[in-house]
Amino acid sequence: MSKESGLNKESTSMNDTMVEEVEERDPESNPLNEPLLKRNRTLSSNPLALVGAKVSYIESLDYEINENDLFKQDWRSRSRTQVLQYIFWKWALAFLVGLLTGVIATLINLAIENIAGYKLLAVVKFIQKERYLTGFLYFTGANFILTFVASILCVCFAPTAAGPGIPEIKAYLNGVDTPNMYGATTLFVKIIGSIGAVSAGLDLGKEGPLVHIGSCIASLLGQGGPDNYRIKWRWLRYFNNDRDRRDLITCGASSGVCAAFRAPVGGVLFALEEVATWWRSALLWRTFFSTAVVVVVLRATIELCHKGKCGLFGEGGLIMFDVSDVTVNYNVIDVIPVVIIGVLGGVLGSLYNYLLHKVLRLYNLINQKGKMYKLLLSLSVALFTSICQYCLPFLAKCTPCDPSLSEMCPTNGRSGNFKQFNCPNGHYNDLATLLLTTNDDAVRNIFSTNTPFEYQPFSILIFFGLYCILGLITFGIAVPSGLFLPIILMGSGYGRLLGILMRPHTNIDQGLFAVLGAASLMAGSMRMTVSLCVIFLELTNNLLLLPITMIVLLIAKTVGDSFNPSIYEIILHLKGLPFMDANPEPWMRNLTVGELVDVKPAVMSFRGVEKVANIVDALRNTTHNGFPVMDCGVVPATGVASEATELHGIILRAHLIQVLKKKWFLKEKRRTEEWEVREKFTWVELAEREGNIEDVAVTKEEMEMFVDLHPLTNTTPFTVLESMSVAKAMVLFRQVGLRHMLVVPKYQASGVSPVIGILTRQDLLAHNILTVFPQLSKPKRK
């Protein structure tokens, strides 16, 4: 795999040095704002990041259109039928992404509800017979086995399937290629692992994994299947590029959110607000189309399951809660508790981010010791979770059932708000109602409305404290996990508790307080507003909640932003993924790109017709991914008599390797004809990024031959003047989705190269710049 391009001239020995430094890293010795990987103190060091369990070299994606002669010829030769075929297949793939994501999400929900349901029913039978120890052993043993299956798959077969996958998707859509994140093995392990981990009752959700699953489906469809069994259909050649794969993965991420929350508009807005860096109206339509397909599949499944054809799966899984039948009444005075919830959400969300940051560093230290330690960590968390969920309900007092309730009380079967547990007939255990059930049922129960006296403050306090601890220690173990549900459970806990305390002073229902608490903590931790507001609106199906939900989300995000970044930004930084923020630092306006390239080695370029030996030497001794192509002694078309150096464009490393593999050499130094190029290359082949210079064999005779680089050179690279500020260059780089940015001199003197440097992603990252320019002060994040 080729490494990140730039002006750096690190050789293979430098790469080995960096790997040795990575192996000696000590996460606990780093300050809070440093990533887990130590790097050389240079501007253009080779990018390394933690992807799954491996330290991998990271390269950027080619989102920019490579307008060389072959590309132009292909577009000129495309008929109207081929253009319509391309448009049709884009929509067809969007449909397939939505369809498959909806079907797989349905199967995951069915499996979780039935596996967890039969497990809990068996435990209830033991409790009814007062065989508490047997019930405990059965409950703990079943959870242990389910966690073992999920963890062993992630540890041994697909380490990239662990965690939510959303930070890596964010990085990919930002232009960072994360290896092995979207393969068939990762998809399979993510599905099975999610079923096992959620069924085991761990404090995690299937929402984040569903986003990753949708992205994996989209990537596999776009490339025609797994790498080893790729379908070579002719129409798939249209999508053999990073730009179209990026659009498909965006559709997949939107479909995953829609499948998790049954929120099609929320899924589109989630992709727009949280994961996507590059957006346009055509992509908006396709993502909406994908989510519409998902919601149709979910609706059909719900209708089927209501008829009792899904085993234990009925109201669960796909319908988390519905408060559409509740009248929401609130006055001006009710703004005060709403503001309090928003402030609490921002403070607690930022505190959760801070503590989780520390826990992830500790887990990284443990995981470095080997696969066995990863497995033991996951199983230890599962045992602790099972012990707490089974034993803590014994601390709660039994509450008499209210005879005026229409719902059955107590309940011993599947779902229900009044679990009997160890209580006598006519009584229920409110803490067992929240703990000894599936996570989705726990959300439904704590969000239940018109039940002001169902839960005791002591039970809610235990519930909140427990899930705060579990939310910190569960995320980061080697199983597929999502952050949405743990944060919802924590937020609903303090929201319901506040509702109990404010009961004499407000008209807002306690269940709605729980909804607002969950929304505030999500905004305080994840820092999303618009998409969260729409997701909660689609979930609750109640427009009257919209004003107070908006207030809570805005306050929580504002308060949280004053302390630390969002949880996904923290994870990106920890993993070392070179993510480019939307807003440059203020001090970047005081630095020009010319000053930036001055501290880098001189640019390495090729002539339009270059010697094979020079190309091989450059590829073997550098890790550059782009090389300027220049022609000397060119007379400008303006009629100026003096000769000048022409910047013909930039050529990619992958294209040079293709040239060497195909032996496209010339015995004499000359430019080739158009037909010679088309005879040897197709634009489809040039879209492939596989290839390594070590796999190419070139003889001594071939070393003395020449290569005409003109037909393969991108003749329209993005160039900036050396006087442009780094802030402006960073905004341009991110918005256009570039991989290379050429810096040209402000004054073109005779004998001066038309290119003075190349900027890449690594060169524009704030922490890399500050290692070279320590005199620049970095202001605190606002």
Side-chain angles (χ1 to χ4, degrees):
M1 180 178 66
S2 56
K3 318 303 186 287
E4 173 63 65
S5 63
L7 293 178
N8 54 310
K9 288 192 173 183
E10 288 87 346
S11 62
T12 305
S13 61
M14 178 66 74
N15 298 342
D16 297 337
T17 303
M18 294 182 67
V19 172
E20 291 173 3
E21 289 192 7
V22 170
E23 292 175 349
E24 296 172 358
R25 67 188 187 276
D26 180 7
E28 291 301 302
S29 66
N30 290 341
L32 180 64
N33 59 344
E34 289 295 324
L36 293 173
L37 301 179
K38 294 181 180 179
R39 287 185 169 79
N40 292 337
R41 309 293 284 182
T42 57
L43 185 61
S44 291
S45 58
N46 284 339
L48 293 166
L50 288 172
V51 181
K54 293 173 59 179
V55 177
S56 303
Y57 286 105
I58 300 297
E59 64 176 71
S60 295
L61 295 164
D62 294 303
Y63 287 157
E64 179 190 358
I65 295 178
N66 198 324
E67 293 187 346
N68 53 34
D69 291 349
L70 280 173
F71 174 83
K72 295 173 184 176
Q73 172 62 27
D74 175 74
W75 272 102
R76 286 195 299 265
S77 61
R78 284 192 184 183
S79 63
R80 180 176 177 82
T81 302
Q82 289 177 313
V83 173
L84 292 176
Q85 186 184 32
Y86 171 64
I87 295 173
F88 169 78
W89 282 115
K90 282 202 294 188
W91 285 92
L93 286 177
F95 171 81
L96 290 175
V97 167
L99 178 65
L100 293 177
T101 304
V103 170
I104 290 177
T106 300
L107 296 177
I108 289 175
N109 278 284
L110 291 174
I112 290 172
E113 291 288 329
N114 282 282
I115 293 173
Y118 283 113
K119 175 191 71 177
L120 293 171
L121 286 177
V123 172
V124 167
K125 289 180 181 178
F126 289 121
I127 293 174
Q128 286 177 326
K129 298 176 182 178
E130 297 186 359
R131 298 171 59 185
Y132 298 118
L133 181 59
T134 306
F136 169 74
L137 294 176
Y138 181 90
F139 182 73
T140 305
N143 291 343
F144 185 90
I145 293 172
L146 290 169
T147 305
F148 178 81
V149 172
S151 185
I152 198 71
L153 287 174
C154 289
V155 169
C156 297
F157 297 100
T160 51
I166 294 178
E168 290 82 359
I169 295 170
K170 260 188 95 163
Y172 186 93
L173 297 180
N174 190 256
V176 180
D177 187 15
T178 47
N180 304 318
M181 276 301 297
Y182 307 105
T185 305
T186 301
L187 174 62
F188 175 78
V189 172
K190 199 81 174 185
I191 294 171
I192 304 301
S194 296
I195 294 172
V198 178
S199 300
L202 295 174
D203 184 25
L204 45 82
K206 54 188 178 293
E207 295 77 21
L210 276 174
V211 176
H212 191 188
I213 288 169
S215 301
C216 288
I217 292 170
S219 178
L220 290 171
L221 285 174
Q223 68 183 23
D227 292 333
N228 297 332
Y229 304 98
R230 190 173 295 182
I231 299 172
K232 298 294 184 179
W233 290 343
R234 181 175 174 80
W235 59 269
L236 278 173
R237 72 186 191 278
Y238 294 134
F239 304 96
N240 193 21
N241 60 83
D242 292 332
R243 288 170 60 87
D244 285 313
R245 195 172 294 122
R246 170 188 62 186
D247 292 352
L248 277 173
I249 288 177
T250 305
C251 292
S254 302
S255 301
V257 175
C258 176
F261 295 106
R262 205 181 54 157
V265 180
V268 175
L269 292 177
F270 173 83
L272 172 61
E273 181 180 9
E274 182 61 22
V275 296
T277 298
W278 193 78
W279 199 261
R280 66 187 192 281
S281 59
L283 181 58
L284 174 68
W285 302 337
R286 287 205 300 279
T287 54
F288 187 68
F289 177 61
S290 293
T291 57
V293 174
V294 173
V295 85
V296 168
V297 173
L298 298 184
R299 186 64 192 174
T301 304
I302 291 171
E303 293 296 331
L304 180 66
C305 291
H306 275 314
K307 300 176 182 178
K309 298 181 179 180
C310 301
L312 296 181
F313 182 79
E315 298 288 333
L318 297 174
I319 311 173
M320 291 183 65
F321 53 95
D322 187 350
V323 294
S324 57
D325 58 342
V326 177
T327 303
V328 181
N329 295 318
Y330 49 86
N331 303 318
V332 177
I333 194 66
D334 294 324
V335 173
I336 296 176
V338 168
V339 171
I340 293 174
I341 287 181
V343 174
L344 276 175
V347 173
L348 294 177
S350 57
L351 178 62
Y352 176 74
N353 291 358
Y354 175 81
L355 294 176
L356 188 60
H357 191 175
K358 295 293 189 180
V359 171
L360 290 176
R361 286 184 172 279
L362 176 62
Y363 279 8
N364 183 74
L365 190 65
I366 296 172
N367 291 337
Q368 286 180 29
K369 296 183 178 181
K371 295 181 178 180
M372 184 59 66
Y373 286 87
K374 292 182 183 180
L375 188 61
L376 290 175
L377 178 61
S378 302
L379 296 177
S380 300
V381 171
L383 287 175
F384 177 78
T385 302
S386 300
I387 292 170
C388 291
Q389 289 176 339
Y390 190 89
C391 297
L392 286 179
F394 287 100
L395 300 177
K397 295 181 180 179
C398 293
T399 306
C401 293
D402 186 352
S404 63
L405 291 173
S406 59
E407 187 176 348
M408 181 184 297
C409 179
T411 56
N412 291 314
R414 294 159 59 185
S415 60
N417 266 39
F418 306 97
K419 297 286 187 182
Q420 185 173 358
F421 195 59
N422 63 331
C423 296
N425 293 332
H427 293 70
Y428 69 94
N429 187 313
D430 58 347
L431 192 53
T433 301
L434 298 175
L435 297 183
L436 209 63
T437 183
T438 63
N439 289 336
D440 285 344
D441 270 336
V443 172
R444 277 191 295 274
N445 294 337
I446 200 168
F447 282 173
S448 60
T449 54
N450 295 325
T451 54
F453 304 104
E454 178 182 351
Y455 300 104
Q456 302 301 316
F458 178 70
S459 298
I460 296 295
L461 190 61
I462 292 177
F463 173 83
F464 173 64
L466 173 63
Y467 274 99
C468 284
I469 296 172
L470 294 180
L472 288 172
I473 67 173
T474 306
F475 187 81
I477 63 175
V479 295
S481 58
L483 277 171
F484 284 94
L485 199 62
I487 292 176
I488 287 176
L489 289 170
M490 284 187 288
S492 60
Y494 77 75
R496 185 103 192 185
L497 191 62
L498 185 62
I500 294 174
L501 298 176
M502 298 290 294
R503 184 191 307 156
H505 311 290
T506 181
N507 295 323
I508 301 178
D509 189 273
Q510 291 177 22
L512 302 185
F513 265 106
V515 174
L516 295 177
S520 69
L521 192 61
M522 289 185 75
S525 177
M526 298 182 177
R527 311 295 157 76
M528 296 184 292
T529 53
V530 179
S531 58
L532 270 184
C533 186
V534 174
I535 286 173
F536 273 90
L537 181 64
E538 292 181 288
L539 281 174
T540 59
N541 199 21
N542 197 320
L543 279 172
L544 294 175
L545 278 176
L546 182 60
I548 54 178
T549 305
M550 292 172 66
I551 294 172
V552 163
L553 292 174
L554 289 171
I555 293 175
K557 183 185 185 305
T558 303
V559 173
D561 281 337
S562 62
F563 291 102
N564 51 31
S566 74
I567 186 61
Y568 291 136
E569 290 180 30
I570 289 174
I571 295 173
L572 282 169
H573 187 62
L574 277 174
K575 288 178 173 289
L577 293 169
F579 183 84
M580 294 192 72
D581 292 320
N583 301 312
E585 298 289 346
W587 51 263
M588 287 184 174
R589 301 199 177 278
N590 302 325
L591 187 69
T592 65
V593 294
E595 294 172 313
L596 208 57
V597 297
D598 283 343
V599 300
K600 300 176 66 177
V603 64
M604 178 174 290
S605 61
F606 292 130
R607 290 166 293 183
V609 181
E610 187 59 83
K611 199 173 183 180
V612 173
N614 294 338
I615 297 175
V616 173
D617 182 66
L619 294 179
R620 286 179 176 171
N621 296 321
T622 69
T623 58
H624 305 351
N625 225 314
F627 301 87
V629 177
M630 306 183 214
D631 285 321
C632 301
V634 178
V635 179
T638 54
V640 180
S642 60
E643 295 181 346
T645 301
E646 176 194 12
L647 172 61
H648 189 74
I650 186 170
I651 190 166
L652 299 180
R653 181 187 192 92
H655 295 173
L656 292 172
I657 292 176
Q658 288 278 354
V659 168
L660 297 178
K661 280 186 174 181
K662 287 182 172 288
K663 308 289 186 182
W664 195 54
F665 305 145
L666 303 172
K667 292 184 178 180
E668 66 275 2
K669 190 175 182 179
R670 65 175 179 86
R671 294 191 63 163
T672 56
E673 299 294 334
E674 189 175 296
W675 62 268
E676 293 181 85
V677 186
R678 294 202 308 270
E679 193 177 67
K680 200 74 173 180
F681 297 96
T682 66
W683 68 272
V684 177
E685 293 173 333
L686 294 182
E688 294 288 343
R689 301 170 64 230
E690 291 81 6
N692 201 315
I693 184 60
E694 283 74 21
D695 301 330
V696 179
V698 183
T699 64
K700 288 185 179 180
E701 293 77 12
E702 292 171 339
M703 285 286 195
E704 300 302 318
M705 296 184 181
F706 298 90
V707 176
D708 181 16
L709 301 179
H710 293 96
L712 307 178
T713 301
N714 179 10
T715 57
T716 58
F718 280 84
T719 59
V720 296
L721 285 176
E722 60 179 332
S723 57
M724 178 182 284
S725 70
V726 172
K728 193 173 183 179
M730 176 184 167
V731 172
L732 175 64
F733 196 99
R734 185 182 189 273
Q735 290 183 346
V736 182
L738 299 181
R739 187 173 188 177
H740 308 99
M741 178 183 285
L742 304 186
V743 181
V744 298
K746 190 173 182 180
Y747 302 101
Q748 182 68 55
S750 178
V752 176
S753 172
V755 177
I756 61 174
I758 301 180
L759 292 179
T760 63
R761 173 179 298 272
Q762 291 290 323
D763 304 326
L764 295 172
L765 295 179
H767 57 271
N768 285 352
I769 297 175
L770 288 174
T771 60
V772 181
F773 297 94
Q775 68 275 18
L776 295 172
S777 60
K778 186 176 180 181
K780 292 183 179 180
R781 188 185 182 98
K782 293 184 178 180

